[in-house]
Amino acid sequence: MTLTGEFFAFMALALVAIIGGVLLLNLNKVVHMVVALIFTFVSIAGIYVLLSAEFIAAVQVLIYSGAITIIMLFAIMLTKPYDDESSESKGGRLRNVLLFLGVVGFAFAVYIGIYNFPIDQTPSDLHVNNTLEIGKALYSRFIIPFELVSVLLLAALVGAIILAKREDKEADKE
Amino acid sequence: MENAWLIPLFPLLSFLILLLIGKRLKEASAYVGILFTLASLVFSILVLFERFSEPTFLKKFDWLTIGDLHLTAGFEVNQLNALMLFIVSLVSFLVHTYSKGYMHGDERMPVFYAYLGLFTFAMLGLVISPNLLQTYIFWELVGVGSFLLIGFYFYKEEAKAAAKKAFIMTRIGDVGLLIGMILLFWQTKSFEYSEIFQAVEAGAVSNTMLTLTAILIFIGAVGKSGQFPLHTWLPDAMEGPTPVSALIHAATMVAAGVYLVAALFPLFTASPTALLTVATVGAVTAIFAASIGLVQTDIKRVLAYSTVSQLGYMMLALGSAGYVAGVFHLMTHAFFKALLFLAAGSVIHAVHTQNIEEMGGLWKKLKLTGPLFLIGTLAISGVPGLSGFFSKDEILVAAWEGGHPVLFLFALIAAFMTAFYMFRLFFMVFTGESRGQQKNVHESPSVMTMPMVVLGVLAVIAGYVNTPWFGSFLGDWLVDGNEALGHGHIEGPIWIMIAATVVSLAGIYLAWLIYGKRSIARDWLSGQGGMLYTVLYNKYYIDEFYQLTVIAFTKGFSYFLRFIDTFIVEGIVKGVSGIVQGLGAMGSKMQTGRAQTYGTVAFVSLAVLAVIFALTGGYLR
Amino acid sequence: MSSVPASAFLALALILFCIGLYGALTKKNTVIVLISIELMLNAANINLVTFSKYGLNPNIDGQVFALFAMAVAAAEAAVGLAILMALYRNKRTVNIDEMDSMKN
């Protein structure tokens, strides 16, 4: 491993992403958590660039850092924020410790898998005309899934509207 | 003869039919029972006559095969079996007929006839079994039938208790029989009578083991035949309907013990010790039961003790190697004791009491029952010319020739007592002035008296098939082709017959003096030996003795076991159920409805599996 | 030729996934739980893209898959939040511990 610019970029992005995640877990105010997560999402976009996926990186920034974060913020603002994370019952604390151990164990187990995974780093030319290639793939081999995704998005749109809509009865009541 | 297996099936069929549609038949169910037992009787007579001219018929097939071991089932018609078939089906048929009148008006008549059918089936099955295992099965079935019939009036406390007592007491004997049977099987590798006898003859069984098995099997017979010391159930069994007493507790089931000893006679003869045991128990029972019979006041109980005593006689005969005498007496006793019971039933039917103190002067009112009862009484007392005389004489000769002078003396005294108490009973019931308040005492209907007449005729003539004067036809036939059973007729000194006659006549005379002519005060006996009288009246306190020893011990042991059960077994059970309940409560507490908890549990479990997999590499490595 | 090994990307994805998982199972605010789930999906996407470049058979398909995953994630976020709003209108809370009507 040589100290190249790529390496430094990866280290910096990874650090920001992890710090964003840790802040998500440790901050008290909900809005702060979401903001911390924006850093993570943007860093992940950077990681995608390092992985020769410029188009994915752009989409990541648009959808996650943009759209989803904004919806989340709206949701937070529309509901009464529940900030009191400290009022945990005793069983809850035990549960968290247990879960933490479980997560660490899981990470350890998967890391062993990663460590032993044989990856020969063959050079690839994915960075060349990346967006063009994705477009070609989407509109040739993946045309049917692509159309299905559009139907899924439409269904989600309609479903979300119906779910979130105030029912008439309720409206009358209030 | 090859169709002899049908004989037990007729009563079984009757039992099944009555079980299914008895409720609808009501009183008509009597005809079902009578018809089927009549069929059995006809077949039995045919088989008996066929057996006179043909050899023993044996048919069997493999029932169970375990390795090299073949357990068989089947039937056998030898002399003893044919005779027993005849006796059992005849008495059963007569009792069925008699019950038609006696049980008249009883709502549960179909049930009664169903039970009678079951019992008859079991008894007939018992007497044609060719092997011990089959015998044992029917032996227990007979016990069930007896239990059901004794407890027929189950709403009466005494009947319930008597049924339980009969069942438990005979069960004690059955355990002996079972152990003896298993020991025998262990030694000879077979349940077949014939193979057992061959093995015994060939000396394949050691003497000690032979004696042990014989005595254990005899214990079974003791329980069933009401021999001392397991006799106490038999008098109590008189709580059942009187026809049942006549059928089961006089003629057939109690004779099953005697039959068993007779059927296994070669086994017993091979062991002098066992024979002596049989003889001693028989003699002791004979005199012991007779002495109790002297003072009882319940007509059926007197007869019950007389049954016990007569069964003792049979055992004595068998134990003295008098095979013919024992079986002969079994036959004659079946006839005259059934007659006596049926006559007693007729008396009870007429006066509605069983206490002889409340009877008297019935001779003129019961024109048919009286003479029939007298015939039975004369027969059992051993008055010359009637059946009981010949068979009792055979027994006395057998006892004398068997070399047991003491047991012979016992038998003679018992004969005296028998004559005395039977005539005491007769005089108390039929002569003198009426002591009861019964009005309009009338004779029983002919459906009841006809069976009594048949039995009365048999009680007179049955003895002539085997007499010292006209030839011992029965005896010769019984031992034909089987030397192990002894001689057909044992020649005895003539004075024995004279002594027996004198003794029984003396007993009758004494009874007449006290109860007939009243020249001796009635309380002479009780006055002379007050204590003796009390002891006799209370049946030697045998029941009380059992109450204080065996039952008290069993009760204590049961309490101890209950203690274990309550505190240890139940503790364990409760502990286990408590643990399970606790786990369940914990589990249900975990069902909080919180998705995160569920997720945590699922994920942590997955993580544990993943870690184990990562550390061990799974099965693949 | 890259100076950063593929396992480094995978390890980063693993760390982010674990953070998301822990958050999803411990946070009380339902909105944060949803965000944590998005984080887990992102970690999965990193894996997809990494294998698209460094896998045994480098291919553009991995990136296309990541795109589809994002579309599904967006739809999921929209529907999830809509359900959250409906719940909030009924229960007046976003505390996930109080949403235990599954119990009975």
Side-chain angles (χ1 to χ4, degrees):
Chain A
M1 191 186 289
T2 50
L3 291 174
T4 59
E6 194 184 359
F7 175 73
F8 282 117
F10 172 78
M11 288 308 284
L13 289 169
L15 204 64
V16 172
I18 292 168
I19 286 171
V22 174
L23 283 176
L24 165 80
L25 294 180
N26 286 329
L27 285 173
N28 279 329
K29 286 191 86 95
V30 182
V31 180
H32 294 179
M33 292 180 191
V34 179
V35 173
L37 208 60
I38 294 174
F39 287 101
T40 307
F41 288 148
V42 172
S43 314
I44 290 170
I47 297 288
Y48 288 155
V49 173
L50 287 181
L51 287 169
S52 335
E54 291 91 354
F55 182 72
I56 304 288
V59 173
Q60 168 82 8
V61 172
L62 280 175
I63 292 185
Y64 279 101
S65 311
I68 290 182
T69 312
I70 296 299
I71 309 177
M72 293 293 175
L73 281 172
F74 269 109
I76 290 162
M77 281 185 261
L78 283 173
T79 59
K80 191 179 96 207
Y82 184 83
D83 287 340
D84 191 10
E85 288 286 341
S86 57
S87 68
E88 283 178 14
S89 60
K90 216 174 177 183
R93 191 175 297 280
L94 179 71
R95 192 186 75 191
N96 287 356
V97 170
L98 200 66
L99 180 65
F100 184 75
L101 289 175
V103 168
V104 169
F106 174 77
F108 166 74
V110 177
Y111 184 75
I112 287 177
I114 292 169
Y115 191 78
N116 295 330
F117 196 74
I119 298 176
D120 51 337
Q121 303 211 347
T122 50
S124 60
D125 53 354
L126 287 175
H127 55 283
V128 182
N129 285 333
N130 179 261
T131 312
L132 177 68
E133 293 298 324
I134 287 176
K136 278 183 185 167
L138 269 184
Y139 285 100
S140 55
R141 292 172 55 208
F142 295 102
I143 183 68
I144 291 172
F146 180 72
E147 294 297 339
L148 283 178
V149 164
S150 68
V151 173
L152 173 75
L153 284 173
L154 183 67
L157 177 72
V158 175
I161 289 171
I162 288 175
L163 277 171
K165 201 180 68 148
R166 238 174 239 248
E167 282 165 34
D168 292 341
K169 246 192 318 187
E170 264 179 275
D172 295 343
K173 211 161 53 184
E174 285 176 23
Chain B
M1 230 185 304
E2 51 275 14
N3 291 325
W5 58 276
L6 283 171
I7 298 172
L9 291 188
F10 287 120
L12 180 67
L13 213 58
S14 148
F15 167 64
L16 292 176
I17 289 174
L18 292 177
L19 209 61
L20 291 175
I21 57 169
K23 279 220 166 109
R24 238 171 288 162
L25 288 176
K26 297 211 175 69
E27 298 262 316
S29 52
Y31 295 112
V32 176
I34 292 167
L35 274 178
F36 278 107
T37 40
L38 180 63
S40 285
L41 175 61
V42 169
F43 269 71
S44 301
I45 292 172
L46 289 177
V47 165
L48 182 66
F49 278 103
E50 238 179 307
R51 186 60 192 78
F52 284 141
S53 50
E54 285 174 35
T56 299
F57 184 83
L58 174 64
K59 174 108 183 152
K60 59 185 181 181
F61 57 89
D62 278 357
W63 178 38
L64 277 180
T65 304
I66 307 162
D68 294 335
L69 204 65
H70 298 286
L71 298 184
T72 58
F75 67 97
E76 184 179 12
V77 185
N78 57 25
Q79 294 98 319
L80 181 62
N81 291 358
L83 184 66
M84 287 299 290
L85 275 179
F86 171 67
I87 296 171
V88 171
S89 55
L90 174 69
V91 177
S92 176
F93 168 67
L94 293 176
V95 165
H96 269 79
T97 317
Y98 178 90
S99 305
K100 168 92 174 57
Y102 188 83
M103 300 300 285
H104 179 72
D106 194 308
E107 267 180 28
R108 291 169 63 234
M109 198 144 143
V111 184
F112 181 76
Y113 272 95
Y115 289 171
L116 274 187
L118 176 66
F119 172 80
T120 310
F121 157 67
M123 193 65 211
L124 290 171
L126 174 66
V127 296
I128 61 167
S129 298
N131 62 50
L132 260 179
L133 191 65
Q134 207 177 329
T135 305
Y136 185 73
I137 293 169
F138 283 113
W139 181 270
E140 295 295 346
L141 258 181
V142 165
V144 171
S146 157
F147 170 77
L148 290 172
L149 284 167
I150 296 171
F152 184 70
Y153 297 128
F154 59 83
Y155 37 83
K156 268 165 57 185
E157 277 304 319
E158 298 86 15
K160 250 195 294 191
K164 271 191 281 188
K165 188 173 178 182
F167 205 62
I168 293 166
M169 294 288 276
T170 49
R171 179 49 33 89
I172 295 170
D174 294 349
V175 171
L177 172 59
L178 184 62
I179 298 171
M181 209 173 91
I182 292 167
L183 281 182
L184 210 50
F185 181 72
W186 178 43
Q187 294 289 318
T188 63
K189 302 280 174 292
S190 174
F191 283 125
E192 304 295 317
Y193 286 143
S194 46
E195 284 173 40
I196 289 173
F197 297 153
Q198 273 167 22
V200 169
E201 229 165 276
V205 189
S206 72
N207 270 335
T208 328
M209 193 52 86
L210 206 61
T211 308
L212 187 63
T213 50
I215 288 177
L216 280 167
I217 287 174
F218 178 61
I219 288 174
V222 163
K224 217 50 151 193
S225 287
Q227 298 295 290
F228 180 81
L230 295 178
H231 65 280
T232 57
W233 68 269
L234 190 53
D236 283 12
M238 295 303 137
E239 292 296 339
T242 308
V244 168
S245 306
L247 174 62
I248 299 183
H249 308 117
T252 56
M253 186 186 88
V254 290
V258 178
Y259 164 76
L260 185 71
V261 175
L264 285 169
F265 199 64
L267 180 68
F268 283 89
T269 46
S271 163
T273 319
L275 268 188
L276 188 61
T277 312
V278 173
T280 312
V281 169
V284 168
T285 309
I287 192 165
F288 168 83
S291 65
I292 297 176
L294 292 177
V295 296
Q296 296 300 312
T297 55
D298 184 319
I299 182 168
K300 282 179 74 183
R301 270 175 196 266
V302 175
L303 291 176
Y305 278 108
S306 121
T307 306
V308 173
S309 165
Q310 298 301 311
L311 289 166
Y313 263 112
M314 296 173 209
M315 288 295 186
L316 170 63
L318 291 173
S320 313
Y323 175 79
V324 173
V327 177
F328 184 33
H329 195 59
L330 167 60
M331 183 183 86
T332 55
H333 174 256
F335 295 144
F336 61 68
K337 185 51 66 65
L339 168 65
L340 284 169
F341 263 110
L342 293 186
S346 177
V347 170
I348 295 166
H349 193 69
V351 300
H352 299 290
T353 178
Q354 296 190 6
N355 193 343
I356 54 175
E357 302 283 357
E358 295 172 13
M359 298 174 186
L362 292 174
W363 182 261
K364 280 168 238 134
K365 290 170 185 159
L366 301 177
K367 287 256 159 37
L368 206 50
T369 308
L372 286 168
F373 196 90
L374 182 61
I375 289 172
T377 314
L378 287 170
I380 195 173
S381 302
V383 170
L386 284 86
S387 62
F389 168 71
F390 299 112
S391 56
K392 209 173 267 189
D393 178 52
E394 282 283 323
I395 291 176
L396 289 172
V397 170
W400 178 256
E401 294 293 314
H404 309 300
V406 179
L407 299 180
F408 171 76
L409 200 62
F410 272 35
L412 214 54
I413 296 170
F416 169 75
M417 286 181 176
T418 307
F420 177 74
Y421 68 69
M422 282 315 295
F423 269 91
R424 165 179 177 266
L425 191 62
F426 176 76
F427 288 131
M428 295 269 285
V429 172
F430 287 102
T431 64
E433 295 301 309
S434 174
R435 287 181 296 275
Q437 295 85 36
Q438 293 84 26
K439 307 280 184 293
N440 58 52
V441 173
H442 54 82
E443 183 57 274
S444 305
S446 60
V447 73
M448 285 167 72
T449 50
M450 283 322 289
M452 283 153 58
V453 170
V454 173
L455 284 171
V457 170
L458 281 171
V460 174
I461 62 162
Y464 290 97
V465 295
N466 191 29
T467 63
W469 306 328
F470 308 119
S472 52
F473 164 71
L474 179 80
D476 293 338
W477 177 66
L478 272 176
V479 298
D480 181 33
N482 200 340
E483 289 79 23
L485 300 178
H487 299 291
H489 177 66
I490 306 168
E491 282 300 328
I494 192 73
W495 63 266
I496 291 179
M497 188 182 281
I498 297 169
T501 313
V502 168
V503 154
S504 64
L505 288 177
I508 295 170
Y509 182 65
L510 185 62
W512 183 71
L513 283 183
I514 297 178
Y515 299 101
K517 198 180 163 206
R518 295 171 198 236
S519 55
I520 299 175
R522 270 192 63 199
D523 52 2
W524 175 75
L525 184 71
S526 44
Q528 285 294 307
M531 208 176 76
L532 185 68
Y533 178 81
T534 321
V535 168
L536 288 182
Y537 190 76
N538 287 305
K539 309 146 202 164
Y540 290 98
Y541 294 103
I542 293 279
D543 274 326
E544 286 75 8
F545 174 73
Y546 285 157
Q547 192 74 37
L548 284 177
T549 53
V550 180
I551 296 178
F553 172 74
T554 312
K555 261 192 180 164
F557 193 59
S558 312
Y559 278 126
F560 172 67
L561 288 182
R562 193 175 80 176
F563 174 79
I564 289 184
D565 189 57
T566 331
F567 291 103
I568 297 176
V569 177
E570 211 166 293
I572 292 171
V573 171
K574 280 210 173 127
V576 169
S577 75
I579 288 169
V580 173
Q581 263 185 350
L583 280 175
M586 268 170 64
S588 85
K589 214 174 254 176
M590 282 173 74
Q591 300 296 319
T592 52
R594 292 177 191 172
Q596 284 183 320
T597 312
Y598 299 163
T600 306
V601 171
F603 176 73
V604 169
S605 314
L606 174 70
V608 168
L609 288 180
V611 168
I612 291 171
F613 185 81
L615 289 179
T616 62
Y619 290 118
L620 296 175
R621 195 157 64 187
Chain C
M1 204 55 227
S2 169
S3 59
V4 182
S7 49
F9 292 101
L10 296 179
L12 172 67
L14 174 63
I15 291 167
L16 289 176
F17 181 86
C18 288
I19 289 169
L21 184 67
Y22 186 78
L25 290 180
T26 54
K27 289 295 166 188
K28 307 241 161 191
N29 193 321
T30 313
V31 180
I32 305 300
V33 171
L34 283 173
I35 290 177
S36 301
I37 291 168
E38 297 299 329
L39 191 57
M40 288 160 74
L41 283 165
N42 258 296
N45 274 349
I46 293 177
N47 271 12
L48 284 174
V49 175
T50 305
F51 283 112
S52 129
K53 182 172 184 187
Y54 294 122
L56 295 174
N57 184 16
N59 205 321
I60 197 79
D61 291 0
Q63 296 186 8
V64 176
F65 260 89
L67 272 178
F68 284 136
M70 278 181 188
V72 174
E76 174 257 320
V79 176
L81 284 171
I83 292 172
L84 174 70
M85 294 309 295
L87 263 175
Y88 178 75
R89 267 212 308 279
N90 284 328
K91 291 200 164 227
R92 290 283 142 195
T93 180
V94 285
N95 184 358
I96 198 162
D97 283 349
E98 288 172 38
M99 299 175 187
D100 56 357
S101 50
M102 215 156 54
K103 189 161 79 175
N104 37 21

